[in-house]
Amino acid sequence: MIEIRNLSHAEGRTPILHDITLSLPKGGVTAILGPNGAGKSTLLSLMARLRPLQAGSIAYDGMDIAATPTERLARKLAILRQDSTVGSRLTVRDLVGFGRFPHHRGRPGPADRAAVEAALGQFDLAPLAGRFTEELSGGQRQRALVAMAFVQATDYLLLDEPLSGLDMYYARMLMRLLRRLAEEHGRTVVVVLHEINYAAAHADRIVALKDGRVALEGPAAEVFASARLSPIFGMEIPVERWHGRPVALHYT
Amino acid sequence: MPPASLPTAEPRAGRHAALALAGLALLAGASLFVGAAPLSASALLADGEGARMLMLSRLPRTLACLLTGAAMAIAGLVMQMLARNRFVEPSTVGSAQGAALGLLAVTLVWPAAGLAAKMLAASLASLAGTAAFLAMVRRLPVTQPLLVPLAGLAWGAILGAAATFIAWETDLMQFLEIWLNGEFSGVVQGRYEILWLTGIFAAAAYLLADRFTIAGLGRDAAVGLGLRYERVLLLGLLIVAAVTALTVVTVGMIPFVGLVVPNLVRMGAGDNIRAALPLVALAGAGAVLAADLVGRLVIHPFEVPAATVFGVIGAGVFVWLIVTRRGHGA
Ligand SMILES: Nc1ncnc2c1ncn2[C@@H]1O[C@H](COP(=O)(O)OP(=O)(O)O)[C@@H](O)[C@H]1O
Ligand SMILES: [Mg+2]
């Protein structure tokens, strides 16, 4: 379970997050939605201790991030940041391999290598494994970065817009994989999404942020409704049902 | 498993290492027999004088070149990872100038100071100079990678000017010149052995290789993987400062080794430090030995300092790297 209590954050004098209190159950996929600048990336960075906490607390299964050694946290939670770039010339295999660092701390064993090969296979990266990341397309690189977070094999996986740059095929593949991780392996996935229909199709819970506050929270089946989504994005979002599932028709 | 035809970095690195080792052995062999006084293999066997010269002068000189080259190249590699920028090295961003200032200070304040005290002063001052540079780098926009070496050059020039002023006022100019532009003609048995200490720092850099590679991915990526980023920066700084101080105190800096060698190696082997570091060490050792050999030969029987020889080539490669932006990114 992730417990966020009275979390506030400011950059300089600009307040970004206001007194956020959230509790996300263990297991399952939570989608974080919200317009640009709502504070989603800031929230995920704080949850992943990438920025110092200014006010409030965050805990995973009772493990307070402010009181837990960072090495330990790296085996509890993994993050894929929104603006992830790879500035270094590393092969795909090496890059994904560094996702195992929290487990081997510099001495990879057979289990680590096996996990890396499995992840390379799972994300269709095996044919690219020996290439340098700078020789990949944006979407391929994104897949390598997702594989790197995935291979960290943590109970909690935080992903900030992992679908950006992925084509339809890989976007759906990743969402299905996240779903499987939650269902079959009991992992807890928190994923920032822009395409709200992916949330409708794959998320158990939805949390929507607006202006640094939680504007909407609940089971996806309950809150994925026109009346609740429209005000958050400040536009009309019709939600229809198709074969029994909710579908947002916000394209026209 | 990937198809065999795809290029992978690892076997390439292995082959390069074997080649580099062979080249290095050749160079070292040549270095033992080249100098102002003639020395041939037959003479070596015939009389004891030749063997004496070999042990007292040629062998120490060759070893000093190899150790300095490997250490400087590793220090450059580590610094590039810490600064997340390819265009920096200890002698252009203030580490060497800092060490020289420290040496000047201890020489003036405590003229009777022993080698250990000098080393300590040079290391601490180099650490301060490098730390100040890294603090500057953090404030620069990541979108302008060329600002980093420019800021470094300016900072190095400021420290260098201060050192020059002090040395000028105190009649220590000739020492400062040697500290910052090294040469190996004075190396004899008993005067270079402290350079073996650089091996400790090279080994430390290798042990920390994964951490430096991860640090090169940036602070957020490093923290996400459970790395204590600031601690890794500090350890890297210590390695750079100690290696710089050891070099400045013994033979003097060889500018551009730390810049050119890691860049050329990283183009082929990539930025995984565990794979690149041994190659960087070998190539650095070979490059400095070659520069020293050239310096011994061009105006034989006189000598050109290795730093001068390498400076000419190194500056050219530096400009080429910047203009072509080979291996852009970090
Ligand atoms: N380093 C920063 N300095 C100042 N303001 C920032 C900084 N980072 C983000 N912000 C502001 O904080 C708000 C939330 O940003 P972010 O968390 O990235 O939003 P989202 O991911 O929801 O689009 C935005 O208004 C953004 O402009
Ligand atoms: Mg964002």
Side-chain angles (χ1 to χ4, degrees):
Chain A
M1 175 146 104
I2 308 178
E3 275 171 290
I4 301 173
R5 290 226 180 96
N6 305 109
L7 184 70
S8 294
H9 193 80
E11 288 287 346
R13 295 233 184 97
T14 317
I16 293 175
L17 298 178
H18 306 269
D19 197 26
I20 290 187
T21 297
L22 262 180
S23 110
L24 303 175
K26 197 173 169 79
V29 176
T30 298
I32 307 232
L33 308 178
N36 293 143
K40 307 179 294 295
S41 296
T42 306
L43 176 63
L44 252 69
S45 294
L46 291 170
M47 288 170 69
R49 50 95 172 75
L50 301 185
R51 294 190 209 176
L53 283 184
Q54 294 170 350
S57 67
I58 300 172
Y60 295 82
D61 300 333
M63 188 189 272
D64 190 323
I65 62 165
T68 309
T70 192
E71 295 90 342
R72 180 106 193 272
L73 287 173
R75 294 192 297 269
K76 191 78 181 167
L77 63 110
I79 178 153
L80 173 75
R81 287 164 308 127
Q82 179 176 7
D83 49 0
S84 287
T85 50
V86 187
S88 302
R89 259 166 83 76
L90 293 175
T91 62
V92 172
R93 179 176 280 111
D94 283 354
L95 180 75
V96 174
F98 281 116
R100 295 297 300 172
F101 183 82
H103 300 275
H104 64 63
R105 304 291 298 173
R107 287 179 213 192
D112 298 301
R113 277 186 260 276
V116 171
E117 294 308 319
L120 290 173
Q122 197 143 24
F123 287 87
D124 284 350
L125 290 166
L128 305 171
R131 286 228 218 141
F132 287 121
T133 46
E134 64 192 5
E135 297 159 3
L136 303 180
S137 78
Q140 291 170 332
R141 200 173 307 127
Q142 178 75 354
R143 253 155 62 208
L145 286 164
V146 175
M148 183 182 177
F150 170 81
V151 88
Q152 212 171 320
T154 50
D155 289 344
Y156 294 88
L157 189 54
L158 314 178
L159 304 159
D160 197 350
E161 295 192 28
L163 305 185
S164 69
L166 296 187
D167 63 27
M168 282 187 281
Y169 176 87
Y170 284 113
R172 187 176 72 166
M173 185 188 96
L174 178 59
M175 290 312 297
R176 286 182 173 178
L177 189 66
L178 295 179
R179 186 75 247 143
R180 270 218 319 278
L181 279 180
E183 275 171 15
E184 293 169 19
H185 302 277
R187 307 281 193 82
T188 310
V189 178
V190 179
V191 53
V192 175
L193 295 173
H194 263 304
E195 176 44 79
I196 58 176
N197 278 318
Y198 281 116
H202 299 280
D204 302 299
R205 294 183 76 75
I206 287 177
V207 172
L209 294 187
K210 183 169 178 152
D211 299 329
R213 293 186 166 84
V214 177
L216 183 66
E217 196 219 334
E222 221 170 87
V223 302
F224 201 88
S226 180
R228 315 205 56 177
L229 292 172
S230 300
I232 289 166
F233 291 93
M235 60 186 267
E236 182 60 25
I237 303 178
V239 175
E240 302 291 336
R241 297 198 84 78
W242 185 78
H243 290 285
R245 297 165 167 219
V247 179
L249 299 171
H250 52 293
Y251 302 102
T252 53
Chain B
M1 286 299 289
S5 62
L6 279 159
T8 64
E10 299 109 48
R12 272 205 306 248
R15 228 174 307 135
H16 287 164
L19 268 177
L21 261 180
L24 202 56
L26 272 176
L27 277 174
S31 166
L32 294 177
F33 294 99
V34 170
L39 175 67
S40 69
S42 55
L44 192 59
L45 292 173
D47 66 15
E49 193 55 34
R52 248 175 61 81
M53 182 176 10
L54 191 74
M55 294 314 292
L56 282 183
S57 153
R58 293 287 165 74
L59 187 62
R61 181 174 189 157
T62 303
L63 288 172
C65 286
L66 295 174
L67 290 169
T68 308
M72 292 273 69
I74 289 174
L77 178 67
V78 170
M79 166 157 281
Q80 288 164 20
M81 296 320 280
L82 302 185
R84 299 189 69 203
N85 190 288
R86 293 171 182 273
F87 305 120
V88 295
E89 67 139 348
S91 60
T92 59
V93 301
S95 314
Q97 294 82 353
L101 274 172
L103 263 182
L104 276 176
V106 76
T107 309
L108 292 171
V109 177
W110 184 19
L115 192 58
K118 284 183 174 167
M119 267 301 307
L120 191 66
S123 301
L124 289 177
S126 177
L127 194 67
T130 317
F133 164 67
L134 284 184
M136 259 184 272
V137 168
R138 284 189 161 197
R139 285 158 211 280
L140 296 175
V142 284
T143 47
Q144 301 278 332
L146 288 183
L147 281 182
V148 174
L150 280 179
L153 283 170
W155 176 236
I158 291 171
L159 294 182
T164 305
F165 176 74
I166 296 171
W168 184 264
E169 293 290 316
T170 55
D171 246 352
L172 292 169
M173 273 308 282
Q174 65 188 59
F175 291 101
L176 183 66
E177 177 60 27
I178 291 176
W179 292 338
L180 294 181
N181 282 291
E183 49 112 12
F184 297 91
S185 67
V187 174
V188 290
Q189 198 176 53
R191 280 219 34 210
Y192 81 101
E193 283 77 357
I194 190 178
L195 278 173
W196 284 110
L197 286 179
T198 57
I200 295 174
F201 297 99
Y206 189 71
L207 284 177
L208 293 167
D210 281 354
R211 285 165 172 80
F212 290 140
T213 310
I214 292 173
L217 293 172
R219 186 184 179 279
D220 284 353
V223 171
L225 292 174
L227 206 67
R228 292 185 186 256
Y229 185 70
E230 275 72 24
R231 188 187 289 179
V232 173
L233 283 193
L234 182 63
L235 288 171
L237 271 175
L238 285 172
I239 290 174
V240 169
V243 164
T244 303
L246 278 166
T247 313
V248 167
V249 168
T250 47
V251 293
M253 289 300 279
I254 312 292
F256 293 112
V257 174
L259 187 100
V260 168
V261 171
N263 269 288
L264 294 179
V265 170
R266 287 167 72 185
M267 270 180 209
D271 295 345
N272 189 345
I273 302 304
R274 193 171 292 288
L277 188 134
L279 284 173
V280 164
L282 283 176
V288 168
L289 187 56
D292 185 52
L293 262 174
V294 170
R296 275 184 255 172
L297 289 169
V298 277
I299 50 168
H300 190 85
F302 304 104
E303 293 200 8
V304 180
T308 309
V309 175
F310 205 92
V312 174
I313 305 162
V317 179
F318 183 28
V319 170
W320 174 71
L321 284 170
I322 286 192
V323 170
T324 59
R325 295 281 202 98
R326 294 296 293 248
H328 56 284

